[in-house]
Amino acid sequence: MKKIRKICCIGAGYVGGPTMAVIADKCPHLEINVVDINKNRIKAWNDNDLSKLPIFEPGLEEIIKKRRNQNLFFSTQVEDQIKNADMIFISVNTPTKTHGIGAGFASDLRWIESCARQIAKYAEGHTIIVEKSTLPVRTAEKIKSILDLSLKGNKPKNANLQFSVLSNPEFLAEGTAIDDLINPDRILIGGDDMEAIKLLEDIYSNWIDKNKILKTNIWSSELSKLIANAFLAQRISSINSVSALCEKTGANVIEVSRAIGMDSRIGNKFLNAGPGFGGSCFKKDILNLIYICEFYGLKEVAKYWKSVLDINYWQQNRISSLIIDKLFGTISGKKISIFGFAFKSNTNDTRESPAINICKNFLNEGCELLIYDPKVNEKEIASELGKNEKNVDPNIGNWHKFYTIEDSVKNADAIVILTEWEEFKNIKWDLISELMRKPAWVFDTRNICKKEEITKSDINFWQVGISDKES
């Protein structure tokens, strides 16, 4: 049986980087090469200052420090590393299409196809290709077609050249990705080449119990990733819809969540009310699922999953409108301090963050945003909200990035907590109150603050899913 000695991962992003770091740490006998055409990203992965890694993920720095340049390497040498690899992981971006058939729903597979063509051109010997990116069902079939056609159309220089394609989707949550990789709920491997499956299984078996490694056909593996994310997003939209009902009826969404979460049939995960889900996967995967359902004529199924996205947008717009209403119906010329811009704590990822839509709603009302996030830099905020400039239109607001909580609240009319960073749970509200303009408000969209500590500091307080009478 073939032995795996060298692994190449194409794509040094949020999936490829951490995944290969953990494999390198758990399999020191393997040589891992992570490649990317983005020179700045690779430069950041190789920076001696580990705080400059392109991804913030708890536990990642320690592994990079231990394994980098030992058996873990980052480079732009895509062709060379494809040629040398026994196994190639594809971990490139698959954004939602913006043009053409399926625009706004289907995944853009141009980078996947590009990888397949590069592999077909430069690989040598028997090469195992592993889908790691989140992909629509039957993408592996397209990859295999490209590879097979390359073998038929051109007489290979290496007579032993052959390919096996596997699906091995990631189930990582940003902020806990390293722990998810070290202690996964399951590892899913889909394919029809039993030898290739066994070789990938053997890699994971270095630290994961084989009972957690599930083997399926390749189509089930690809679809399982989309469905897992769709189910998680659906739970978030469900509890957020309940949060609005709680505010109207006098119920407390925290107590409701705790009560239903104790039901063993339901469980307590993903039942925290908030400003909506974000990140790179949930919206993209549901859009992809909607597209697939419509393609196969399952219009009612597509409509059901679209409602999950509709509730997510509705919750963000509902919170925006509620805040404006509490601030006397207008925020034009007022200052609002934004606590947190990442889509969740313990990550610097802003993709599809609820903060983006809510901040845009505020800017369109003409306010000034004072933004503080401990890990998101000004460049990332600018990429989502536009440049930090005073707009020519006086009706459109502007924003500023701050590096301390104190600076971000000076003369602010309100604070809106949008990310559940740990430091927001331990704020000295009596000192913050002195810096704000009165009457001051705190809007806690994550339910992480203690009501008593805020209200005794002469600040008005609102929490998502809790009625005004209670809060």
Side-chain angles (χ1 to χ4, degrees), residues 60 73 351:
L60 180 59
F73 305 90
R351 289 175 292 180

Side-chain angles (χ1 to χ4, degrees), residues 186-378:
R186 77 290 202 195
I187 294 293
L188 189 56
I189 303 175
D192 54 15
D193 184 332
M194 292 298 106
E195 180 178 338
I197 290 173
K198 179 66 166 57
L199 289 168
L200 182 55
E201 180 185 26
D202 287 345
I203 291 173
Y204 286 116
S205 295
N206 281 280
W207 76 97
I208 296 168
D209 191 309
K210 285 193 175 184
N211 291 327
K212 287 188 174 184
I213 302 176
L214 307 180
K215 287 161 276 192
T216 69
N217 71 48
I218 203 160
W219 323 127
S220 295
S221 178
E222 289 178 331
L223 185 58
S224 293
K225 169 61 177 180
L226 294 183
I227 299 303
N229 281 344
F231 269 53
L232 295 175
Q234 184 253 18
R235 284 172 69 93
I236 295 172
S237 283
S238 293
I239 198 63
N240 282 340
S241 70
V242 171
S243 73
L245 183 60
C246 288
E247 291 168 26
K248 296 293 186 181
T249 61
N252 183 316
V253 75
I254 299 174
E255 295 173 349
V256 172
S257 296
R258 186 182 303 124
I260 64 176
M262 292 180 71
D263 189 323
S264 60
R265 298 167 299 174
I266 298 173
N268 60 5
K269 300 291 181 65
F270 284 79
L271 286 179
N272 294 324
F277 55 77
S280 63
C281 288
F282 283 1
K283 177 183 173 183
K284 176 170 70 79
D285 289 355
I286 293 177
L287 287 171
N288 203 347
L289 185 58
I290 293 169
Y291 180 73
I292 292 170
C293 291
E294 290 183 339
F295 178 83
Y296 287 107
L298 303 172
K299 296 188 181 299
E300 292 303 315
V301 180
K303 185 178 179 181
Y304 170 77
W305 288 111
K306 185 177 182 298
S307 70
V308 173
L309 292 180
D310 291 342
I311 287 292
N312 198 52
Y313 289 125
W314 174 81
Q315 178 77 338
Q316 294 166 16
N317 293 332
R318 181 181 80 86
I319 289 173
S320 302
S321 297
L322 183 147
I323 291 171
I324 293 169
D325 184 63
K326 295 285 187 185
L327 297 177
F328 307 109
T330 180
I331 57 173
S332 179
K334 293 178 181 176
K335 294 182 177 182
I336 296 181
S337 180
I338 301 296
F339 280 18
F341 200 81
F343 85 91
K344 63 182 290 188
S345 63
N346 292 323
T347 181
N348 59 348
D349 195 352
T350 64
R351 289 175 292 180
E352 300 297 339
S353 173
I356 297 168
N357 188 35
I358 292 173
C359 285
K360 286 181 176 179
N361 288 341
F362 291 156
L363 290 173
N364 286 333
E365 293 291 328
C367 79
E368 182 178 350
L369 296 181
L370 318 175
I371 302 174
Y372 170 75
D373 189 290
K375 292 298 178 181
V376 177
N377 60 40
E378 187 168 351

Side-chain angles (χ1 to χ4, degrees), residues 6-10 31 33 35 78 81-82 85 87-89:
K6 294 185 178 183
I7 291 176
C8 171
C9 176
I10 305 175
E31 180 184 313
N33 288 279
V35 296
V78 180
Q81 297 308 328
I82 287 175
M87 180 177 284
I88 300 172
F89 286 79

